[in-house]
Amino acid sequence: MDQTLRRAIETLADRRSILVFTGAGISTESGIPDFRGPDGVWTRVDPAEFTIERYLANPETRKRSWEMRAGSGSLKAKPNAAHKAVAALWKTGRMVGCVTQNIDGLHQKAGLPAEAVVELHGNAHETTCMSCGDRMPTTEVITRLDHGENDPHCLLCSGILKTTVVMFGEALPPVATDRAFWMATEADAVLAVGSTLSVFPAASIPLEVVRAGHPLVIVNQGATEFDDLAALRIDGAAGSILPKLAKALR
Ligand code: NAD
Ligand code: ZN
C-alpha cells in the first residue's frame, strides 16, 4: 500500500466523528464535470451569466439554464465507488456526517441517509417557485420543456421556477448552513474530497475543524487552497482511494 494512504489511515483510525467534506471532484467519475478542474465547466461557460439577478430578470437566462440542466445528463448520473465508500464509512459509525458542495444528490443515491448529508449549495433534482415556495421534482419542469415551453412558470401562482441550486449572489440555505456548522463543531477530523477548497463560505466548514485543532486529510487531484493546513494530502482519483480508505477503517 502507498505510504501516504497508510499514513492517512493511521491519522483517521482513532477518530470517531469524521466530517467528510466533498466537492465536484468526487462526481467526475460519475460523468459530471467539475468547475475548476482541467475539463471544468468554467473553461466553457462564463460564471457571470449565472447570477440570481440575471436569472430573475432575464427569460433568456432561464431558458438557457433549463436547457443546460436538461442537456447535461447529470440528473441521470449514478454514484461511483467514492460515493459508495463514503456511505460505507458512515455505516462504521465513525462519521459525524457529510457536508457537500455538490448539487447532484449522488451521496444519497449511494446509500448515505438524508440525515447524514448536508447540501450547502442545494440540489438540481429539486425545483421551487420563487414566489409561493411550492416544490416539485426538476424532471417535471424538464418534461414541460420537452413539450415546448421555454421558461416554465409555477402552475399555482405563475411565479418564476428555479432549481434549489444556489446561484451567484444568493445566500446559502440557512438550515443547511446551521447543520454544516454543527457537524464541524462535533467533528474530530475532516476528510476533504474532490474540492479546490476555494469556494466560500463552504470552505469555512473544513477550516472550522482545523481551527479546533483536528487533522485535515485531503484527497484531491491537484492543488487546493488548504494544502498547507493539511495533515496529509493524497493526490489521486477519489474513486480508487476512498474505497481503500473506507475498507481499512471498517
Ligand atoms: P472545483 O471544480 O473547484 O474543484 C474540483 C477539484 O476536484 C479539482 O481540484 C479537480 O482537479 C479535482 N478532481 C476532479 N476529479 C477528481 C477525482 N476523480 N478525484 C479527486 N479529485 C478530482 O469544485 P468545488 O471545490 O466543489 O467547487 C465548485 C462548485 O461547483 C461548488 O460550489 C459546487 O456546488 C459546484 N459544482 C457541483 C457539481 C456537482 O454537483 N457534481 C459539479 C460542478 C460544480
Ligand atoms: Zn408559485
Side-chain angles (χ1 to χ4, degrees):
M1 188 188 290
D2 171 77
Q3 191 60 28
T4 338
L5 181 59
R6 198 190 304 273
R7 283 176 51 216
I9 293 162
E10 281 166 16
T11 304
L12 298 174
D14 63 344
R15 303 287 149 166
R16 289 292 171 272
S17 300
I18 301 167
L19 175 70
V20 177
F21 179 83
T22 63
I26 196 171
S27 295
T28 55
E29 291 166 79
S30 292
I32 305 175
D34 60 18
F35 277 2
R36 296 171 186 77
D39 303 314
V41 171
W42 294 153
T43 60
R44 283 173 279 123
V45 296
D46 179 4
E49 200 181 332
F50 296 94
T51 63
I52 186 68
E53 290 80 8
R54 279 216 197 180
Y55 188 88
L56 293 178
N58 192 342
E60 271 306 309
T61 302
R62 296 197 288 274
K63 177 171 182 268
R64 198 162 127 74
S65 294
W66 290 120
E67 280 170 359
M68 281 177 65
R69 191 67 69 204
S72 73
S74 65
L75 291 172
K76 296 196 185 87
K78 293 196 172 64
N80 64 54
H83 300 104
K84 289 175 191 161
V86 175
L89 188 61
W90 168 260
K91 289 206 184 96
T92 67
R94 293 166 177 273
M95 264 174 70
V96 65
C98 173
V99 175
T100 187
Q101 303 169 88
N102 295 345
I103 54 161
D104 53 32
L106 290 181
H107 283 298
Q108 296 91 317
K109 276 194 191 161
L112 200 59
E115 69 267 21
V117 188
V118 175
E119 293 173 317
L120 271 183
H121 293 164
N123 189 320
H125 295 268
E126 294 166 7
T127 289
T128 183
C129 168
M130 302 297 283
S131 300
C132 75
D134 190 36
R135 290 205 169 216
M136 69 218 72
T138 300
T139 47
E140 282 182 17
V141 184
I142 305 288
T143 305
R144 288 171 64 185
L145 291 176
D146 291 343
H147 287 95
E149 287 184 65
N150 283 334
D151 174 24
H153 276 55
C154 177
L155 295 171
L156 299 178
C157 79
S158 305
I160 290 173
L161 297 180
K162 185 184 139 316
T163 68
T164 62
V165 174
V166 176
M167 298 186 83
F168 291 111
E170 253 190 312
L172 299 193
V175 174
T177 307
D178 286 353
R179 286 182 66 220
F181 276 104
W182 176 83
M183 283 182 184
T185 312
E186 293 293 305
D188 61 4
V190 53
L191 173 63
V193 185
S195 174
T196 51
L197 302 172
S198 63
V199 176
F200 280 84
S204 48
I205 299 298
L207 201 53
E208 197 76 8
V209 185
V210 175
R211 284 204 182 120
H214 303 302
L216 162 67
V217 173
I218 297 176
V219 176
N220 196 63
Q221 279 173 341
T224 82
E225 289 297 317
F226 294 171
D227 285 353
D228 294 343
L229 299 176
L232 269 168
R233 234 189 71 74
I234 308 179
D235 199 314
S240 68
I241 292 159
L242 285 206
K244 292 177 196 153
L245 207 55
K247 191 174 170 207
L249 294 172
R250 253 194 320 223

